[in-house]
């Protein structure tokens, strides 16, 4: 009763003296405080950058423990076949695992949660923020860059999605999917706005998006849209919303060229460059090849890449679940630019000698020097030795005869206790050149395409390609994307947009090389690292929308075929 009387007395006193009881809480930010202070706006938008971590190091965080998309392809094999550590193996070998009830690769719900936050930010930025027009445009550019990135993943996975660009739309339960063409154009508009208003460099806030990053993502967007127009031709899905008119392919390739050329112009001005030391790119956060990257600072902001991919000899407590396949290893050329072949007696006798520089930066093989030891990856070779796929239920050793080297930190010997801090490069200048070369190729600028591709190869220490026709140059470009971008998470999406996944990833088992000693000789035997055939069927080019989402939004119709 005393408490009630005191409260009433305070209220009456306040009313008589015309004081305010709208007190500003001291334990949280109110909306007025956030938008009245540029520092709090900065903190708000910085929190949005967490979205990029869902895809760091080529992984798909929402389908298992650090499951990498390259393990859905011919480039990587996970050791486990159980859900969690080995979800990618389950998805790669069983097309029936993709259903509307359980879509396999499902980002829809998470994506729209992030999109809502971004749209709320954009609304309040324009209605509440007490900052200059230039500052407002820069923050809008950042937010739209992130939104474009989120929508890009929906386009990759589902093709057609619901475009929501304001907070009023989030309340609707009758929002329909837009056409895939409209979706790609919407994404392009977000990145184009970002490119127009973001600064050339972030001199204070290092690690934030820039003009070059926006142009690079814009180039990637137009290349994807052009690829769908070029290769899909409505052969794999009759959904009225999916696909892009083939007549638009040439225009979209030209758009990709223009965006990529804007990045090249920035590079010519000294902002970016190809790194002469390929291996150091992935452990050097200051590499000029990096256009947009995620940096980490221990002990609070870290990742677990080394824990999941380093050889077990580095730390028995590690997981060691993602291995390069023999198919990837054999893609790396000889130092003189010739194709490696096991049918060549010289190559077969010493398969890891005289290979191109990127091989030694990407692959750990039997006899490689690593962290002060020589790796013994032979069958029965001890802590790092080979284990035959299927021989034990949960191997933590290689089942392909190889470990990844790329992106591991060779100086980190305490990643079990302290995790890892090397940067993740979301997009590099090398990828921009590959985008440019591919767009030039399909825009029928063959000479330019070849010159762009050879610019990259020359910097990597390999001779230019010997390709004179469109088909030959496309084959060379596919090869270059494999070796240059290996293990970075591009291969699965490349095969999908080229409509080659049902050819390359279906009714096939991928392989490794078992290394064994017979007396004084070393014998290399090709063995399967898959225990089941891979499965990729045509309808998987457009994966289903989660059933719960189509039930929640009456306007969203399921993609045809699901």
């Amino acid at each position: 009763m005393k408490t009630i009387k005191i409260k009433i007395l305070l209220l009456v006193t306040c009313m008589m003296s015309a004081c305010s009881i709208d007190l500003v809480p001291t334990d949280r930010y109110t909306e007025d405080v956030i938008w009245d202070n540029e520092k709090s706006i900065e903190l708000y938008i910085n929190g949005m950058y967490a979205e990029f971590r869902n895809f760091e190091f080529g992984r798909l965080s929402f389908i298992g423990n650090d499951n990498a998309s390259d393990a859905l392809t011919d480039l990587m094999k996970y050791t486990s076949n159980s859900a969690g550590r080995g979800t990618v193996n389950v998805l790669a070998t069983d097309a029936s695992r993709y259903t509307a009830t359980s879509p396999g690769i499902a980002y829809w719900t998470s994506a729209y949660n992030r999109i809502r936050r971004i749209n709320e930010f954009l609304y309040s930025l324009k209605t509440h923020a007490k900052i200059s027009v230039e500052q407002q445009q820069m923050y809008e550019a950042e937010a739209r860059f992130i939104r474009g990135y989120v929508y890009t993943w929906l386009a990759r996975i589902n093709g057609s999605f619901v475009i929501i660009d304001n907070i009023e739309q989030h309340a609707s339960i009758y929002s329909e999917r837009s056409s895939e063409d409209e979706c790609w154009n919407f994404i392009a508009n977000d990145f184009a706005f970002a490119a127009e208003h973001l600064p050339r460099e972030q001199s204070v806030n290092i690690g934030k998006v820039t003009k070059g990053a926006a142009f690079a993502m814009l180039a990637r967007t137009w290349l994807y849209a052009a690829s769908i127009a070029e290769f899909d031709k409505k052969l794999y899905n009759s959904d009225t919303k999916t696909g892009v008119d083939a007549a638009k392919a040439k225009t979209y390739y030209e758009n990709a060229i223009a965006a990529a050329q804007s990045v090249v112009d920035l590079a010519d001005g000294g902002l970016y460059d190809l790194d002469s030391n390929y291996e150091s790119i992935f452990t050097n956060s200051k590499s000029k090849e990096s256009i947009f990257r995620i940096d980490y600072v221990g002990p609070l902001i870290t990742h677990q890449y080394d824990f999941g991919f380093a050889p077990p000899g580095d730390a028995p407590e590690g997981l060691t679940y993602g291995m390069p396949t023999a198919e990837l290893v054999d893609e790396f050329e000889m130092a003189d630019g010739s194709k490696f072949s096991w049918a060549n007696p010289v190559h077969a006798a010493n398969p890891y000698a005289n290979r191109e520089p990127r091989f030694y930066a990407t692959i750990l093989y039997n006899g490689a020097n690593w962290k002060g030891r020589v790796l013994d990856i032979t069958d029965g070779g001890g802590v790092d030795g080979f284990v035959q796929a299927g021989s034990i239920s949960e191997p933590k050793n290689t089942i392909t005869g190889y470990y990844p080297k790329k992106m591991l930190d060779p100086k980190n010997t305490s990643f079990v206790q302290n995790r890892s801090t090397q940067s993740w490069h979301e997009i590099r200048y090398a990828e921009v050149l590959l985008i440019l070369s591919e767009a030039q190729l399909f825009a029928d600028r063959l000479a330019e395409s070849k010159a762009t591709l050879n610019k990259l190869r020359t910097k990597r220490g390999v001779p230019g390609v010997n390709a004179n026709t469109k088909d030959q140059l496309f084959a060379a470009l596919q090869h270059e994307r494999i070796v240059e971008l290996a293990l970075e998470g591009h291969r699965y999406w490349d095969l999908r947009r080229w409509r080659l996944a049902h050819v390359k990833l279906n009714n096939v088992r991928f392989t490794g090389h078992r290394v064994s000693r017979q007396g004084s000789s070393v014998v290399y035997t090709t063995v399967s690292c898959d225990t089941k055939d891979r499965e990729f069927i045509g309808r998987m080019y457009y994966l289903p929308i989660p059933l719960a989402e189509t039930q929640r939004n009456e306007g969203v119709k399921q993609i045809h075929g699901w």
Side-chain angles (χ1 to χ4, degrees), residues 354-530:
N354 301 316
R355 303 291 283 271
E356 66 148 293
R358 285 175 295 191
F359 170 81
Y360 300 105
T362 306
I363 306 296
L364 289 173
Y365 52 90
N366 185 59
N369 290 302
W370 178 246
K371 291 187 178 180
R373 69 185 189 277
V374 176
L375 291 179
D376 183 354
I377 311 180
T378 59
D379 191 0
V383 65
D384 296 313
F386 171 88
V387 173
Q388 178 61 51
S391 62
I392 57 177
S393 60
E394 293 288 322
K396 290 189 177 182
N397 285 50
T398 179
I399 57 175
T400 66
Y402 304 100
Y403 294 99
K405 181 179 182 182
K406 185 177 185 177
M407 298 186 290
L408 291 179
D409 184 351
K411 297 179 180 179
N412 189 348
T413 58
S414 61
F415 55 79
V416 173
Q417 298 80 20
N418 301 320
R419 299 166 63 100
S420 303
T421 57
Q422 64 269 36
S423 298
W424 159 244
H425 302 271
E426 170 61 38
I427 194 161
R428 302 189 280 116
Y429 187 46
E431 185 193 342
V432 172
L433 293 181
L434 289 167
I435 290 169
L436 179 58
S437 178
E438 185 176 343
Q440 289 168 331
L441 172 64
F442 286 100
D444 296 320
R445 304 190 197 180
L446 267 64
E448 295 175 50
S449 173
K450 186 174 179 179
T452 302
L453 193 61
N454 285 340
K455 177 181 179 179
L456 173 61
R457 287 176 60 84
T458 299
K459 194 71 173 183
R460 298 304 185 224
V462 287
V465 296
N466 182 23
N468 299 308
T469 68
K470 192 171 185 176
D471 287 345
Q472 289 173 346
L473 195 51
F474 185 38
L477 183 90
Q478 291 180 62
H479 160 81
E480 204 64 26
R481 286 188 68 92
I482 288 174
V483 297
E484 175 65 34
L485 304 176
L487 311 181
E488 294 180 55
H490 292 272
R491 178 66 169 167
Y492 184 63
W493 311 105
D494 283 345
L495 290 175
R496 287 171 63 91
R497 67 184 176 86
W498 292 327
R499 297 303 188 249
L500 290 174
H502 70 289
V503 176
K504 301 282 189 180
L505 306 178
N506 195 45
N507 291 326
V508 64
R509 297 188 186 195
F510 297 120
T511 63
H513 294 133
R514 183 177 66 228
V515 185
S516 56
R517 292 189 177 91
Q518 294 183 5
S520 60
S521 300
V522 177
V523 177
Y524 304 90
T525 307
T526 300
V527 295
S528 177
C529 62
D530 285 329

Side-chain angles (χ1 to χ4, degrees), residues 132-179:
S132 69
V133 173
E134 291 76 14
Q135 289 173 311
Q136 180 179 310
Q137 287 179 330
M138 188 184 71
Y139 284 125
E140 181 180 352
E142 269 190 273
R144 289 180 65 174
F145 181 103
I146 300 168
R147 187 175 70 178
Y149 183 81
V150 173
Y151 272 132
T152 294
W153 280 101
L154 286 178
R156 283 178 167 184
I157 297 167
N158 306 109
S160 164
F161 53 78
V162 179
I163 294 175
I164 300 180
D165 68 349
N166 60 71
I167 58 172
E168 288 82 5
Q169 285 180 275
H170 286 280
S172 173
I173 60 170
Y174 298 103
S175 300
E176 295 184 8
R177 288 188 285 122
S178 294
S179 72

